[in-house]
Amino acid sequence: MSSGEEVVPCMDWSQYDTFPGSFEKCSLMTAALTHFGLYLLMFLGFVNQLLFKPKVATERNREGYAPLYNPFEQFFSRYVYRRVRHCFNRPICSAPGAELTLKERCTDDYNWSFRFTGTERRCINLGSYNYLGFAEAAGPRADAAAAATKRYGPAMASPRAELGTTALHRELERTLADFLGVEDCCVFGMGFGTNALGLPGLLSAGTLVLSDENNHASLILGLRLARVTVRVFKHNDVRHAERLARDAIAEGTWKRIVLVVEGVYSMEGSVVPLGALVALKKRLGLHLYLDEAHSIGAMGPTGRGVTEYCGVSPKDVDVLMGTFTKSFGAAGGYIAGPKRLVDRVRSAGHAHAYAHSMAPPVAAQVLEATRAIAAPEGQKRVRTLRENTHYFRKRLRAMGVIILGHEDSPVVPMLVYTFSKMAGTVERLTERGVATVGVGFPATPLNKARIRFCLSAAHTREQLDRCLDAIEEVVDEVGLRYSRKHPRTH
């Protein structure tokens, strides 16, 4: 660096909250047994593949062409994932409220296919992202959706840029912009597509993106479609992000450098250290894209997301993105911020020009939910969610299991490590009337399967106690007391 250039001092991170979240590591014995079990399962799969060729589609006459299927992914899908396939994609036949109804099914060919048994099972719902309890079959939101359907029909049959915009969409965007505390907002019909189709319209050649290693697949796809250079920093590690940013600035080749992060990470239950990242952004002249899919409505004293939770002005975040599939009990997403930025999204983003417009009943549901969150009813739900989250996490820690993330995160992952224990836990909880979600590879590392509990303001304390009693029984039966920081207390 030449003597004439101003040296930007390094960040003093002791002034900021940089806590990345609780990520207790398991013992060496647990790690070794987990790897051994995984390798044994895969070895048996290879033997099975050699001796009993499955009757599935295979590639033929493909000489000179790239393979359609990745060999490892094909093997993993057939001989590992298939063994626990009954724990995924489980159909329901009710609204995903505090309770739901599972449509039961069975298999006659070792999970290659399923058939319905004709029976149903009512369960307490710990799997849906119904944070504020707005996923209801009746009530003001459902009434508003029905009224919008009668007036506008069930769908617009057009993108927003053509004939897909109504007064309802405009009112929703104004209300949401006011709720978020920004100039403008643009809504879309699909949450995943908000990132996947919005990022290519915002990012251009000469942009370097610094992306958290645990960012959602929609962000990763959007960055690939944008064809920008991406460098990954360790999860919630602001010091690593600073090193990458300073190295990039020293290269002198980038027009802009953008930090891309989430508010609450759905597989870890961790909260972004937003205050520290905003300080880094200001210090080095970076830009910040914040995905609030799991935090808007669920975090902060009044439900305005992780910006409010961390005490950061929404105007200090260049791009605010969020979805309506969690706290709002609906579908779709939004991008919000300065009017100039939102106009750019409308003109250059693929979602506004090509994707189907948000359905009117969905827009009405979101609008009524946004108004409710800002009203006393919504504030009560936000407080109830926070109380339920603290209570649930405290009880789980007392059991001696390993849970990840932050104390205030309504996403509560419990590590079980192996696919077999994940399947066993889901099966046993279902038998006890608790519906939850098991998560494994490729959504997590191969040896870090987990059960992901999602809390809701709709849950009563009695329901949570029933769930926790069932979880404790399963923890004892399956053997999940891995924590050394929080051994079991009585």
Side-chain angles (χ1 to χ4, degrees):
M1 181 177 290
S2 64
S3 59
E5 292 185 42
E6 182 181 355
V7 178
V8 179
C10 292
M11 298 291 297
D12 179 7
W13 293 117
S14 63
Q15 300 179 22
Y16 304 95
D17 179 6
T18 59
F19 177 57
S22 175
F23 296 100
E24 181 182 349
K25 294 183 178 180
C26 64
S27 67
L28 181 61
M29 177 64 74
T30 299
L33 291 175
T34 299
H35 281 84
F36 175 76
L38 177 65
Y39 298 147
L40 178 61
L41 183 64
M42 296 180 71
F43 172 75
L44 293 176
F46 279 116
V47 173
N48 194 333
Q49 182 177 241
L50 290 173
L51 299 180
F52 307 100
K53 197 70 174 178
K55 296 179 181 179
V56 295
T58 56
E59 296 185 52
R60 297 177 181 175
N61 302 318
R62 297 285 299 172
E63 292 78 8
Y65 293 91
L68 293 174
Y69 306 104
N70 178 287
F72 174 76
E73 292 178 358
Q74 195 175 47
F75 165 80
F76 184 86
S77 176
R78 292 177 183 175
Y79 297 102
V80 181
Y81 168 74
R82 178 177 58 82
R83 295 174 182 270
V84 296
R85 187 168 164 240
H86 59 287
C87 297
F88 299 100
N89 305 313
R90 297 191 293 173
I92 69 171
C93 47
S94 68
E99 295 186 358
L100 54 72
T101 304
L102 285 174
K103 195 167 181 63
E104 295 192 310
R105 57 187 181 170
C106 64
T107 179
D108 301 315
D109 53 6
Y110 306 102
N111 286 355
W112 285 104
S113 64
F114 297 96
R115 61 178 175 83
F116 289 120
T117 63
T119 59
E120 299 173 354
R121 184 187 293 269
R122 192 69 177 170
C123 295
I124 299 174
N125 181 10
L126 286 183
S128 301
Y129 304 129
N130 184 28
Y131 296 139
L132 295 182
F134 287 136
E136 303 161 311
R141 272 66 59 186
D143 293 342
T149 304
K150 290 180 180 178
R151 179 176 180 183
Y152 296 106
M156 298 308 301
S158 178
R160 286 289 306 276
E162 295 176 5
L163 298 175
T165 298
T166 68
L168 185 60
H169 293 87
R170 295 294 191 195
E171 184 179 4
L172 172 58
E173 289 174 339
R174 288 193 299 270
T175 303
L176 197 61
D178 290 342
F179 177 77
L180 296 172
V182 295
E183 292 180 4
D184 202 0
C185 174
C186 184
V187 298
F188 308 96
M190 181 183 181
F192 189 99
T194 303
N195 278 329
L197 301 179
L199 282 167
L202 288 171
L203 305 177
S204 57
T207 298
L208 171 67
V209 170
L210 303 181
S211 176
D212 189 287
E213 67 177 347
N214 286 339
N215 274 341
H216 191 262
S218 61
L219 289 168
I220 296 170
L221 178 59
L223 295 175
R224 286 176 179 172
L225 293 175
R227 297 184 179 182
V228 294
T229 301
V230 178
R231 295 176 185 170
V232 178
F233 61 91
K234 297 175 185 177
H235 179 52
N236 274 354
D237 190 334
V238 292
R239 293 167 179 81
H240 189 206
E242 181 184 14
R243 289 197 299 272
L244 291 181
R246 288 183 179 276
D247 290 344
I249 292 170
E251 292 168 10
T253 58
W254 306 107
K255 294 180 181 178
R256 65 190 64 82
I257 301 172
V258 183
L259 291 163
V260 176
V261 295
E262 296 184 44
V264 171
Y265 290 84
S266 61
M267 291 299 164
E268 289 73 31
S270 49
V271 179
V272 65
L274 188 62
L277 287 177
V278 167
L280 176 63
K281 168 206 155 182
K282 292 180 177 180
R283 176 72 60 88
L284 299 181
L286 312 178
H287 300 275
L288 181 58
Y289 184 105
L290 175 63
D291 179 338
E292 290 228 65
H294 286 268
S295 52
I296 189 65
M299 301 294 291
T302 64
R304 284 172 169 78
V306 76
T307 54
E308 182 182 52
Y309 177 79
C310 295
V312 170
S313 169
K315 293 182 173 60
D316 285 335
V317 179
D318 298 280
V319 186
L320 287 169
M321 176 272 171
T323 66
F324 305 123
T325 52
K326 284 82 179 176
S327 295
F328 298 82
Y334 67 85
I335 288 179
K339 188 176 187 312
R340 182 181 175 187
L341 175 134
V342 177
D343 287 343
R344 165 79 180 182
V345 172
R346 292 191 176 108
S347 62
H350 300 152
H352 192 78
Y354 303 111
H356 194 280
S357 174
M358 177 183 283
V362 174
Q365 163 84 14
V366 176
L367 179 59
E368 288 304 310
T370 304
R371 289 169 173 166
I373 295 172
E377 174 200 0
Q379 301 302 294
K380 182 180 179 181
R381 293 187 184 224
V382 172
R383 290 193 299 272
T384 301
L385 174 64
R386 185 166 56 248
E387 291 166 1
N388 284 350
T389 298
H390 291 171
Y391 178 74
F392 195 82
R393 283 180 170 271
K394 181 180 179 181
R395 285 282 306 272
L396 282 182
R397 280 198 303 272
M399 293 180 199
V401 299
I402 294 180
I403 57 174
L404 305 181
H406 280 69
E407 184 71 14
D408 294 321
S409 170
V411 182
V412 187
M414 179 179 74
L415 284 180
V416 297
Y417 294 105
T418 67
F419 267 84
S420 57
K421 288 196 173 185
M422 180 196 71
T425 302
V426 171
E427 291 167 356
R428 287 161 175 77
L429 286 177
T430 301
E431 291 170 359
R432 290 165 171 80
V434 179
T436 189
V437 174
V439 186
F441 179 83
T444 69
L446 269 171
N447 62 335
K448 290 188 178 180
R450 62 200 64 180
I451 303 297
R452 184 177 62 183
F453 302 112
C454 293
L455 281 302
S456 172
H459 289 135
T460 64
R461 188 57 57 88
E462 179 187 2
Q463 288 174 324
L464 292 181
D465 284 337
R466 284 169 54 195
C467 291
L468 288 160
D469 290 343
I471 292 168
E472 188 158 22
E473 291 177 7
V474 175
V475 164
D476 283 330
E477 184 177 346
V478 178
L480 300 177
R481 300 187 193 277
Y482 293 116
S483 179
R484 292 175 292 174
K485 287 185 179 179
H486 305 285
R488 180 184 183 182
T489 58
H490 297 277

